[in-house]
């Protein structure tokens, strides 16, 4: 349980929130969110760059990538503000259920610890990819200027985001201020994405652990009498139903986020893939490749977690099938009642639980569809260049 709370605190603290305090203390470190306001302030200048480069496919794609990134970052930050109380309630539910299950036996605590260790590994990988993309985004302008100066003896000023400012960035003072502003604002894209995505991964990992505990209990339940068997099964079914209810709460919070993530990721992948195909043998190719990897991992996390949650919730059906229910039942109407409850539970578990983005399901099939669609868009963009 401690590792679960550590993940929640560390991810939310990136934006200055403390969901474990009272509402009046929610903004414990408000200065950390200044980078989000920075990306909101720079948004009009990115939009101006998109309009200015409308007729140049490559520069337009580069500016559109930046525009989509800022839109997604601002949307995720607004969702964190809007859902902060819901997240706090969810975290409190998880803490209570985890504490109850861990106190019932070491084997249950071990299942929860294994889930949290896996969650921490995934979150570390995800953060590393995002921080690498952010670092390359900050270094790339200097690489571009260095290569341009080496080849032609002249270098145009470059910024982390394609922006069109109303002042002259060829003046060193203006360029330095513009660069610092752009680099600072780019963290406003990274932090909301890292916070929301890692929290989702943490929630789903522990939900899978709850389903595994329910499977473990139903496979090993023993009852000396029909009454004892019914009481034991009722507790297992209550755990399963509670886990399903928490899945519904989580899905309700993340539906708009997943929908926006998949739609924008599809557009980002097609444009980044186009830029990577053009700059494959150039220095920018490394940057675009890392960016593509980050976007793919971001979409993969939602699909992978959704697929795992669906699988673990549906596996409860087979756990009931493999349980020693026949050894704990005798003859009579009571045993018929227990069999009926087992059949109903198996029918419900057969459907599992599906994480959705309103009109689609977040699973590995959706992930493959995103990648295939992006590749078709890349082919279309190359035909226009």
């Amino acid at each position: 349980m401690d590792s679960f709370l550590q993940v929640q605190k560390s991810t939310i603290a990136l934006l200055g929130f403390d969901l474990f305090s009272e509402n009046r203390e929610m903004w414990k470190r408000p200065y950390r969110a200044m980078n989000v306001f920075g990306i909101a302030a720079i948004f009009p200048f990115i939009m101006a760059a998109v309009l200015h480069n409308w007729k140049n496919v490559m520069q337009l794609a580069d500016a559109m990538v930046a525009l989509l990134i800022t839109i997604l970052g601002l949307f995720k930050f607004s969702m964190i503000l809007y859902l902060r109380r819901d997240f706090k309630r969810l975290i409190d539910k998880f803490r209570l259920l985890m504490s109850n299950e861990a106190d019932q036996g070491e084997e249950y605590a071990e299942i929860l610890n294994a889930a949290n260790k896996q969650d921490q590994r995934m979150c570390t990988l995800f953060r590393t990819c995002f921080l690498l993309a952010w670092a390359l985004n900050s270094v790339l302008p200097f690489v571009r200027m260095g290569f341009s100066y080496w080849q032609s003896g002249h270098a145009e000023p470059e910024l982390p985001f394609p922006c069109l400012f109303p002042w002259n960035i060829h003046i060193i003072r203006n360029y330095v201020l513009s660069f610092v502003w752009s680099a600072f604002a780019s963290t406003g894209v990274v932090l909301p994405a890292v916070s929301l995505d890692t929290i989702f991964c943490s929630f789903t990992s522990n939900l899978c652990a709850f389903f595994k505990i329910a499977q473990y209990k139903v496979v090993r339940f023993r009852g000396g009498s029909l009454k004892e068997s019914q009481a034991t099964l009722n507790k297992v079914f209550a755990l399963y139903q509670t886990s399903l209810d928490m899945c519904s709460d989580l899905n309700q919070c993340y539906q708009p986020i997943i929908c926006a993530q998949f739609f924008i990721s599809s557009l980002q992948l097609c444009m980044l893939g186009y830029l990577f195909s053009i700059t494959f043998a150039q220095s920018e190719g490394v940057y675009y490749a890392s960016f593509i990897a980050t976007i793919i991992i971001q979409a993969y996390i939602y699909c992978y977690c959704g697929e795992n949650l669906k699988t673990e919730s549906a596996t409860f059906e087979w756990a009931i099938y493999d349980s020693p229910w026949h050894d704990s039942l005798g003859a009579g109407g009571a045993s018929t009642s227990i069999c009926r409850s087992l059949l109903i539970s198996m029918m419900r578990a057969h459907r599992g639980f599906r994480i959705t983005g309103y009109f689609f399901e977040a699973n590995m099939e959706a992930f493959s569809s995103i990648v295939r669609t992006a590749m078709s868009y890349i082919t279309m963009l190359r035909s226009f260049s």
Side-chain angles (χ1 to χ4, degrees):
M1 185 177 69
D2 293 338
S3 57
F4 171 76
L5 297 179
Q6 182 180 0
V7 170
Q8 306 304 323
K9 289 181 177 180
S10 61
T11 50
I12 289 295
L14 292 172
L15 288 170
F17 294 107
D18 186 3
L19 294 182
F20 300 88
S21 64
E22 298 296 331
N23 289 337
R24 63 179 179 272
E25 300 177 357
M26 189 72 72
W27 287 86
K28 188 176 182 180
R29 302 178 183 87
Y31 64 87
R32 289 188 176 181
M34 289 301 294
N35 44 27
V36 181
F37 302 133
I39 196 66
I42 208 173
F43 180 82
F45 304 110
I46 300 176
M47 177 64 75
V50 172
L51 299 176
H52 179 73
N53 298 306
W54 188 255
K55 296 183 179 180
N56 188 313
V57 177
M58 184 171 180
Q59 293 181 0
L60 175 63
D62 196 14
M64 280 297 298
V65 169
L67 182 66
L68 292 171
I69 290 172
T70 56
I71 291 174
L72 187 60
L74 292 173
F75 176 76
K76 286 192 172 183
F77 182 72
S78 64
M79 292 303 296
I80 290 176
L81 289 178
Y82 179 71
L83 297 171
R84 64 186 186 276
R85 292 184 179 88
D86 296 320
F87 284 144
K88 186 178 187 303
R89 284 193 292 268
L90 262 178
I91 290 173
D92 291 339
K93 289 181 181 179
F94 272 83
R95 292 171 64 184
L96 179 61
L97 188 57
M98 292 173 68
S99 177
N100 291 338
E101 295 302 322
D103 292 341
Q104 294 183 24
E106 294 183 359
E107 61 273 27
Y108 307 139
E110 184 61 31
I111 293 175
L112 292 170
N113 289 333
N116 282 284
K117 288 179 181 179
Q118 180 183 5
D119 169 51
Q120 287 182 325
R121 288 194 295 268
M122 289 189 64
C123 291
T124 300
L125 174 62
F126 184 67
R127 290 175 185 173
T128 302
C129 290
F130 251 89
L131 292 176
L132 177 61
W134 174 81
L136 289 175
N137 185 57
S138 301
V139 172
L140 181 62
F142 297 106
V143 175
R144 285 176 171 174
M145 290 189 292
F147 271 93
S148 178
Y149 184 80
W150 177 61
Q151 292 175 354
S152 62
H154 176 72
E156 289 291 327
E158 298 276 353
L159 295 171
F161 286 118
C163 299
L164 186 62
F165 293 109
W167 53 82
N168 186 6
I169 62 173
H170 289 82
I171 300 174
I172 296 180
R173 180 184 60 186
N174 293 345
Y175 173 73
V176 171
L177 291 176
S178 301
F179 183 89
V180 172
W181 184 12
S182 299
F184 179 70
S186 64
T187 61
V189 175
V190 174
L191 298 186
V194 171
S195 298
L196 271 181
D197 298 349
T198 52
I199 287 176
F200 179 78
C201 183
S202 182
F203 279 143
T204 53
S205 294
N206 284 278
L207 283 171
C208 289
F210 294 148
F211 287 127
K212 288 180 180 178
I213 291 175
Q215 296 166 25
Y216 185 92
K217 287 183 175 181
V218 78
V219 167
R220 291 164 177 78
F221 92 94
R222 292 290 189 277
S225 62
L226 289 175
K227 185 177 181 180
E228 184 179 348
S229 298
Q230 185 68 72
T232 302
L233 288 175
N234 286 342
K235 292 179 180 179
V236 177
F237 296 153
L239 172 61
Y240 184 77
Q241 184 60 51
T242 301
S243 302
L244 289 176
D245 293 340
M246 294 170 69
C247 288
S248 299
D249 294 338
L250 179 65
N251 192 47
Q252 185 175 1
C253 290
Y254 270 89
Q255 270 187 331
I257 299 170
I258 293 174
C259 183
Q261 178 69 60
F262 278 38
F263 176 71
I264 293 179
S265 293
S266 299
L267 296 177
Q268 285 177 325
L269 282 176
C270 74
M271 294 179 186
L272 285 169
Y274 168 76
L275 293 171
F276 177 71
S277 65
I278 297 297
T279 61
F280 178 76
Q282 303 175 18
S283 58
E284 293 92 336
V286 178
Y287 162 71
Y288 291 128
S290 65
F291 218 146
I292 290 172
T294 301
I295 299 301
I296 289 177
I297 291 176
Q298 194 173 21
Y300 178 80
I301 279 183
Y302 283 101
C303 296
Y304 174 79
C305 292
E307 187 75 26
N308 276 357
L309 198 60
K310 176 183 175 181
T311 301
E312 291 298 336
S313 59
T315 306
F316 188 69
E317 174 191 11
W318 293 101
I320 296 175
Y321 179 81
D322 293 334
S323 66
W325 56 271
H326 47 80
D327 294 336
S328 302
L329 302 179
S335 61
T336 303
S337 175
I338 292 178
C339 289
R340 186 181 299 112
S341 64
L342 288 171
L343 288 173
I344 294 174
S345 299
M346 290 178 70
M347 293 171 62
R348 173 59 189 90
H350 179 73
R351 294 187 287 126
F353 188 88
R354 293 167 173 81
I355 295 293
T356 62
Y358 292 121
F359 52 87
F360 62 91
E361 182 182 343
N363 54 22
M364 297 309 298
E365 183 179 353
F367 176 76
S368 300
S369 177
I370 289 176
V371 175
R372 289 196 304 267
T373 303
M375 296 304 295
S376 64
Y377 288 160
I378 292 170
T379 304
M380 181 185 67
L381 285 174
R382 285 189 62 86
S383 66
F384 292 154
S385 60

